[in-house]
Amino acid sequence: MQVLGVALLLGGAVTGAYVTGRVSAERALVTPDEINTVEVAQKALRAVVRIDNRLQREQLQTGDDPIETGTGFFYKKDLIVTNYHVVQYQESLSVTLYNGRRVTARLEGVDPGIDIALLRVTGVTAPATLSFGSSARLLPGQKLITLGTPFRIQNFVASGVFSVAASARDVPRNDQLGAEISQYLTTTASVQQGNSGGPVLDSRGAVVGVADLNAAPNALVPGTVGIAIPGDLVKQSLDDLEKIGVPQRGTLGITMVDLENLDPALRQLAGLSSSEGALVDQVPAGTAAARAGLRGSLRNSKDQLLAPLGDIIVGVDGQRVQDSFDVIRLVATKRPGQTVTLKVWRNRQEVNVKVTLLKRTLQ
């Protein structure tokens, strides 16, 4: 159902009368906040689409719904942004515009590191586009508006406030996506199943986040805390995907093993008393880490780690790290050409290794 009109409480409301019509700022008894919410929503909804992903057959089990539904929005005349997890494992994609028109779409670019995907449509021009604002300037308590397709209800509008930027460590997810998000936005605005990929707007109608998931105490309780990817991060990713085809956040190019998962005997042999840090496992040739001389680990024919161990990363740019989770996210805040200083445990002592990050390429 389109959200094109609202019930307005007019001057005659003292008699209990309600009149349905188009919102207008001249309605004396409509609060400024109501006016703002409705006007932002009515304008922005024209850019928001429902996304239907027909899943690959091999991803389905008996009784599964073959269609996964999410949300997206036009930010250019033929380009739509959404979550990667909405279009993952797609066999075919279609988008439904705010007015019910349905067109096919194709995957143009993906960024699993922050759970973002870029779609392109042909044969239709965006009825409207949304622009990005600044997520870094959000203040706790600032109003936010979410638009999307929760539970397949298209053109759904909700409002709430920005609560706090939460560490990714406090927003656990089990889909192996978003590994390069250091912080999420949290909001009281509704983000439910089907909202994924939809815009999170400020009171000016600018995109400050992309709805991603919600937080719930357990799988049986609906999530009440909305979680969104910061708009600044999404905007940077979209620019990379359009110009280069791959995101350009910093990466060492290595695989790691969390120190807490290491055999205590190996930690002891390495002279470590703490379980905080990330062991460098594999260092592929040509990576930024390889060029900087970072040392990997050896394994036997049974794929078991051998002593002496490779370098163990215990800090990034002066910040202590708990595990590979921290390393990945801290390095990802950098761009190609920038240098990151790793504090590593090598030969029973701490040394600094400077790594100049490289441009990512299509694989």
Side-chain angles (χ1 to χ4, degrees), residues 170-172 186-187 191-192 212-218 221-227:
D170 298 323
V171 185
T186 63
T187 177
V191 176
Q192 299 295 329
D212 198 29
L213 60 155
N214 60 37
N218 57 61
V221 179
T224 55
V225 178
I227 307 294

Side-chain angles (χ1 to χ4, degrees), residues 21 113 191 244 351:
V191 176
I244 305 171
V351 297

Side-chain angles (χ1 to χ4, degrees), residues 51-340:
I51 297 175
D52 287 310
N53 173 13
R54 178 170 291 279
L55 298 169
Q56 299 166 357
R57 290 184 180 181
E58 55 267 30
Q59 300 299 324
L60 299 172
Q61 297 181 357
T62 303
D64 283 352
D65 189 332
I67 304 295
E68 184 167 300
T69 298
T71 303
F73 60 92
F74 284 101
Y75 74 100
K76 289 190 174 180
K77 65 178 183 178
D78 59 348
L79 293 176
I80 294 169
V81 61
T82 186
N83 285 145
Y84 176 65
H85 77 254
V86 169
V87 297
Q88 192 177 19
Y89 309 123
Q90 53 93 20
E91 181 177 284
S92 63
L93 297 171
S94 66
V95 300
T96 304
L97 307 187
Y98 80 103
N99 60 5
R101 181 177 179 184
R102 189 174 181 179
V103 296
T104 58
R106 73 171 188 268
L107 206 55
E108 186 76 5
V110 298
D111 186 356
I114 64 166
D115 194 15
I116 285 294
L118 179 59
L119 308 182
R120 187 181 295 275
V121 294
T122 54
V124 68
T125 299
T129 59
L130 297 181
S131 299
F132 284 86
S134 173
S135 56
R137 294 183 179 181
L138 287 173
L139 300 173
Q142 185 173 339
K143 185 173 81 171
L144 296 179
I145 299 168
T146 56
L147 306 175
T149 317
F151 309 109
R152 300 188 176 179
I153 304 172
Q154 193 166 355
N155 297 335
F156 191 91
V157 181
S159 66
V161 299
F162 167 62
S163 299
V164 68
S167 167
R169 186 175 290 281
D170 298 323
V171 185
R173 53 191 305 169
N174 56 13
D175 57 7
Q176 308 303 312
L177 302 177
E180 295 176 351
I181 300 174
S182 59
Q183 285 189 318
Y184 288 91
L185 307 181
T186 63
T187 177
T188 60
S190 179
V191 176
Q192 299 295 329
Q193 181 180 351
N195 271 111
S196 294
V200 179
L201 308 171
D202 63 15
S203 56
R204 295 180 178 86
V207 178
V208 291
V210 173
D212 198 29
L213 60 155
N214 60 37
N218 57 61
L220 301 178
V221 179
T224 55
V225 178
I227 307 294
I229 307 164
D232 294 346
L233 189 59
V234 176
K235 183 180 179 181
Q236 182 189 75
S237 173
L238 294 176
D239 189 55
D240 288 342
L241 290 175
E242 283 191 64
K243 293 178 179 177
I244 305 171
V246 289
Q248 294 300 307
R249 291 180 302 279
T251 179
L252 298 175
I254 61 175
T255 60
M256 293 175 279
V257 177
D258 292 339
L259 218 58
E260 65 177 3
N261 296 330
L262 210 60
D263 187 325
L266 282 175
R267 288 205 303 264
Q268 189 173 14
L269 283 172
L272 291 165
S273 58
S274 171
S275 62
E276 292 189 353
L279 171 67
V280 178
D281 190 2
Q282 297 178 0
V283 184
T287 61
R291 294 188 180 191
L294 211 61
R295 300 177 184 178
S297 301
L298 298 175
R299 290 178 178 268
N300 62 20
S301 59
K302 296 181 179 179
D303 203 34
Q304 297 170 322
L305 287 165
L306 300 174
L309 298 173
D311 287 338
I312 296 167
I313 302 173
V314 295
V316 176
D317 283 342
Q319 296 187 55
R320 303 294 292 190
V321 298
Q322 293 185 43
D323 48 29
S324 57
F325 181 99
D326 288 341
V327 176
I328 291 170
R329 284 160 174 77
L330 288 170
V331 173
T333 63
K334 304 285 188 177
R335 301 286 282 175
Q338 291 186 305
T339 298
V340 62

